[in-house]
Amino acid sequence: MSVPGNLSVDSAQARAGSPSLLWGLSVSPLVAASLSILVYTLSSNQDPQGPGPYAAFFLSMIVGFSTAPPLVRRRTFLQRGWCVVNALILEGAFACFLVAPSASNGEPLSWAGLVLSGYSLASLFALWLFCLPAGHPNSDLFSYACAVLAGFAICLLRTALPPFALGPAFPLLTAIPLFITLGQKRPRSENPDQSLPRLDVPPRALLLFLLAGFGVGLMGHDALNPDYGAGFGGLIALGAYAFRPRIALPLIAEIAVPCMMTGLCLWLLAEPGAPFSIFLTGCILLVMHELGSTRRDLKSQCIMLCVAAALGTAGVALSRLFEGIDTDILVIALVIALIIEEALHRIRQLTAAGGSAEPSSEDAAQHADAPAVTLAQSAPTAQPEQTGEDRTSPTPASSLRPRDTSPILPFPEISGQLSSQAQQQLAPYRLSSREEEVASFLLENRSVGFICASLSLSQSTVKTHIRHIYEKTGVHSRDELQLLVHRAASEISAP
């Protein structure tokens, strides 16, 4: 018996909750280390001159993320060795920070600490991304939110202890669980059909990364409690996941830019402490959204993080080119730029919504499939007998149900179930149980209306599942999905 769409539960997503929580808690010391270094970099006693400290930290992170994918694919003992080496590097970075204040010439030690910490943090985080449990993008968002929020909770201990007193413990707390996890079976799969990574970061996100770096360059110096932005961001992401799990990723994307603008406006009002934290909240939500939305192979995620760090550094450097101009004027200009970007984004959304009244992309794909379906219907043996379940399916408008058509391709006769062959070919893409059901109908050339009636789901829900299937498999239509499965099956069956 089918469950109504608004009451259905994604069992795969529910099963991924506990592993996602464990992953987030294990990564939290690494987040705490990053926040501690951020506080050190932006502190008044560090007195950064120009974008140098930011550039040193973020550029070293770019090197760490860019070298991660080829090293991660090595054997287990090499992965574990790389984990130990980067943990020792991070220990050395914190040692540099501890010794620098008391040294006669501590500036070189501070620079060395920034470079070493940026590289080791990026490398360890890439290893953790490799160990991320398989699940829906929303469960990944849950993992990131838990990691950020727990890391901020660890950082709160700094207020009761001397600066960097917890620093030497961070590598140990991070490396031990990572070392153990790397010895287990690999929990996630790469896309086998993509030899080259595909970057799915939209131009809007690239612009926002640049504007975020520009804002950090303007507001970052002498900032109070910048790590509180992580706490706010983690709470917002968890709240979005708890109350709107189906649209959690798009929801935090809509919240990110208003948070950035709110922080900038509070800065103009000379509010103490909070403005920069709220601005960083928007930046963290932006990174969470793009990390969860990026194609789910490690290469693409590392490339996205490299691009974010590079554009952030470019934004910081750009802000230093306007040092002769009043900071308030630059902040106002940044607010105007964000308002214009948000207005253009809303206009694009309204245009897309207006275009949905016309044939959408999925409807166009449905109509493109119509000739093939007609040919199948014209065959004398192509009409399957309509079952009683189909006649009594609880559709709100039975006239909208399309005529039952036989599958053009040799897939299972029972709708809603993938054949063992199709399951084998689609397993690397980590489709949820509901997405597998929808994919089985797509492979049978069923229309959107037929899928809605068979699964008792609304049209928007079915189209959302179809969009997720296309995103995960890297295709753009049901024809490409069918070709993907059949091509992989033919490669396996070929002698």
Side-chain angles (χ1 to χ4, degrees):
M1 180 177 179
S2 300
V3 181
N6 56 348
L7 298 178
S8 61
V9 178
D10 191 336
S11 58
Q13 182 176 346
R15 289 194 301 270
S18 179
S20 298
L21 177 60
L22 293 177
W23 184 90
L25 294 178
S26 300
V27 178
S28 59
L30 197 64
V31 177
S34 304
L35 295 177
S36 298
I37 295 169
L38 175 64
V39 173
Y40 177 80
T41 304
L42 301 180
S43 61
S44 57
N45 52 8
Q46 173 67 9
D47 193 20
Q49 297 179 359
Y54 303 101
F57 182 67
F58 287 115
L59 291 178
S60 59
M61 291 188 73
I62 293 174
V63 175
F65 285 126
S66 61
T67 57
L71 292 174
V72 164
R73 289 188 174 85
R74 303 298 178 182
R75 296 184 177 180
T76 301
F77 73 91
L78 292 177
Q79 296 172 0
R80 286 182 161 182
W82 194 39
C83 169
V84 172
V85 168
N86 281 284
L88 294 176
I89 292 175
L90 189 55
E91 287 279 8
F94 277 106
C96 292
F97 292 136
L98 290 172
V99 175
S102 59
S104 57
N105 188 10
E107 185 176 356
L109 289 176
S110 298
W111 282 84
L114 289 172
V115 172
L116 293 176
S117 60
Y119 177 82
S120 58
L121 287 170
S123 300
L124 290 172
F125 186 65
L127 282 173
W128 274 117
L129 283 178
F130 176 79
C131 299
L132 183 65
H136 192 271
N138 282 337
S139 65
D140 290 355
L141 173 63
F142 177 72
S143 301
Y144 305 141
C146 290
V148 170
L149 192 58
F152 169 69
I154 295 174
C155 271
L156 290 180
L157 297 176
R158 287 187 305 100
T159 58
L161 297 172
F164 288 103
L166 293 175
F170 290 143
L172 187 64
L173 294 174
T174 300
I176 291 179
L178 178 58
F179 188 88
I180 297 173
T181 305
L182 288 172
Q184 301 172 357
K185 183 179 179 181
R186 183 180 178 184
R188 62 180 298 181
S189 300
E190 300 291 339
N191 189 334
D193 293 331
Q194 287 185 340
S195 57
L196 294 176
R198 176 179 172 183
L199 186 62
D200 283 346
V201 183
R204 176 178 184 248
L206 300 179
L207 176 61
L208 289 177
F209 286 141
L210 182 65
L211 296 179
F214 191 81
V216 170
L218 294 177
M219 305 166 59
H221 302 291
D222 299 334
L224 300 175
N225 300 325
D227 50 339
Y228 276 78
F232 296 153
L235 284 175
I236 291 174
L238 282 179
Y241 179 84
F243 295 104
R244 292 291 184 270
R246 293 181 181 272
I247 58 170
L249 276 173
L251 184 60
I252 66 169
E254 298 298 328
I255 297 174
V257 176
C259 282
M260 296 170 66
M261 289 191 292
T262 301
L264 292 169
C265 293
L266 290 177
W267 176 272
L268 294 174
L269 297 176
E271 290 289 333
F276 191 63
S277 297
I278 297 176
F279 181 81
L280 286 182
T281 299
C283 299
I284 291 172
L285 292 176
L286 176 64
V287 173
M288 281 188 185
H289 174 264
E290 297 306 323
L291 196 60
S293 302
T294 304
R295 299 183 64 87
R296 299 166 57 76
D297 56 292
L298 183 64
K299 276 186 179 180
S300 296
Q301 289 182 322
C302 288
I303 290 176
M304 190 282 296
L305 292 170
C306 287
V307 170
L311 290 175
T313 305
V316 172
L318 184 63
S319 69
R320 292 305 169 207
L321 297 178
F322 300 94
E323 284 186 330
I325 303 177
D326 187 12
T327 304
D328 290 345
I329 297 178
L330 294 177
V331 171
I332 293 174
L334 182 56
V335 172
I336 294 174
L338 287 172
I339 291 175
I340 294 174
E341 187 282 326
E342 188 71 4
L344 293 176
H345 174 62
R346 299 297 179 183
I347 292 174
R348 287 193 296 268
Q349 284 184 328
L350 292 175
T351 304
S356 64
E358 302 174 357
S360 62
S361 59
E362 177 54 33
D363 293 332
Q366 177 183 342
H367 293 315
D369 292 332
V373 174
T374 304
L375 289 175
Q377 289 176 335
S378 63
T381 59
Q383 289 289 349
E385 183 179 357
Q386 190 174 18
T387 62
E389 181 180 355
D390 289 339
R391 288 193 298 267
T392 60
S393 179
T395 176
S398 58
S399 60
L400 296 179
R401 170 182 290 205
R403 290 178 297 173
D404 194 1
T405 59
S406 64
I408 295 177
L409 301 174
F411 284 101
E413 296 180 359
I414 302 176
S415 299
Q417 297 181 4
L418 286 173
S419 65
S420 58
Q421 184 186 61
Q423 285 181 342
Q424 181 182 1
Q425 305 310 322
L426 293 178
Y429 303 103
R430 302 190 300 170
L431 300 182
S432 66
S433 59
R434 181 64 78 183
E435 289 168 353
E436 287 183 353
E437 293 176 349
V438 175
S440 69
F441 286 112
L442 294 178
L443 294 174
E444 294 176 358
N445 268 338
R446 305 296 188 184
S447 65
V448 174
F450 183 88
I451 300 174
C452 295
S454 300
L455 299 180
S456 299
L457 298 176
S458 65
Q459 190 176 32
S460 60
T461 302
V462 171
K463 289 188 176 182
T464 299
H465 286 310
I466 293 174
R467 185 176 70 253
H468 290 164
I469 293 169
Y470 289 172
E471 290 175 354
K472 290 182 179 181
T473 56
V475 302
H476 302 88
S477 67
R478 69 179 69 199
D479 290 336
E480 293 183 10
L481 181 65
Q482 293 168 352
L483 289 175
L484 172 69
V485 174
H486 278 273
R487 187 183 299 115
S490 61
E491 291 175 356
I492 294 178
S493 60

